C-alpha cells in the first residue's frame, strides 16, 4: 500500500511540474511576450552600441593626443597683439579679371 501511495504522489508531482513548465513556455511564446522580449533586446543592443561608440570616441581622442604629442602640435600659439592693426585686405573681385566676351546669350539657355 505504501508503494502505491509513493508512486501516485510521485506521478502527481511530475504531472504538476510538467504542466507548470509547459504553461510557462507557452506564455513566453505569446505575441505580447515576444514583442516585449524583442523590445528588451533592442534596448540592450542600443546600450551596447552606445557604449561602443563612447569607447571609440575615447580611443580616438587618446590617439589624437598621442599623435599631436609625437608631432609636436601641442604648442600653444602665441596670442596676437591686440594693439596691432590687421593686415590690409585686398578686394578679391578687383584681382580677378573676367572676360565677358566668352559668354553669349545662347549659353544662358
Amino acid at each position: 500500500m505504501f508503494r502505491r501511495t509513493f508512486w501516485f504522489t510521485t506521478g502527481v508531482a511530475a504531472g504538476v511540474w510538467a504542466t507548470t513548465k509547459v504553461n510557462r513556455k507557452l506564455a513566453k511564446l505569446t505575441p505580447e511576450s515576444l514583442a516585449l522580449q524583442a523590445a528588451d533586446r533592442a534596448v540592450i543592443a542600443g546600450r551596447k552600441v552606445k557604449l561602443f561608440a563612447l569607447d571609440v570616441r575615447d580611443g580616438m581622442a587618446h590617439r589624437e593626443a598621442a599623435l599631436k604629442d609625437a608631432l609636436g602640435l601641442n604648442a600653444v600659439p602665441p596670442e596676437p597683439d591686440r594693439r596691432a592693426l590687421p593686415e590690409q585686405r585686398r578686394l578679391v573681385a578687383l584681382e580677378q579679371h573676367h572676360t565677358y566676351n566668352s559668354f553669349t546669350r545662347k549659353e544662358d539657355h
Side-chain angles (χ1 to χ4, degrees):
M1 176 84 168
F2 180 70
R3 216 179 246 176
R4 287 183 184 175
T5 307
F6 172 77
W7 286 113
F8 177 75
T9 308
T10 304
V12 168
V16 169
W17 177 79
T19 304
T20 305
K21 286 290 242 184
V22 167
N23 285 337
R24 285 184 185 166
K25 290 289 182 184
L26 287 176
K28 285 183 180 179
L29 296 177
T30 61
E32 294 85 12
S33 177
L34 291 176
L36 286 174
Q37 289 176 10
D40 289 341
R41 288 184 181 162
V43 168
I44 291 170
R47 287 181 185 156
K48 287 181 181 181
V49 168
K50 182 180 179 181
L51 289 175
F52 175 73
L54 291 174
D55 286 343
V56 168
R57 185 181 297 165
D58 290 342
M60 285 174 30
H62 178 69
R63 181 65 178 152
E64 185 176 354
L67 288 173
K68 283 184 178 180
D69 285 340
L71 296 174
L73 296 177
N74 283 340
V76 178
E79 286 195 30
D81 188 11
R82 301 265 183 222
R83 295 175 290 160
L85 294 175
E87 293 181 20
Q88 184 178 4
R89 297 180 183 161
R90 300 179 73 188
L91 293 176
V92 177
L94 294 177
E95 291 178 359
Q96 295 176 354
H97 300 289
H98 293 287
T99 56
Y100 295 103
N101 295 338
S102 62
F103 299 108
T104 64
R105 298 197 52 77
K106 291 181 183 177
E107 292 178 352
D108 290 341
H109 297 295

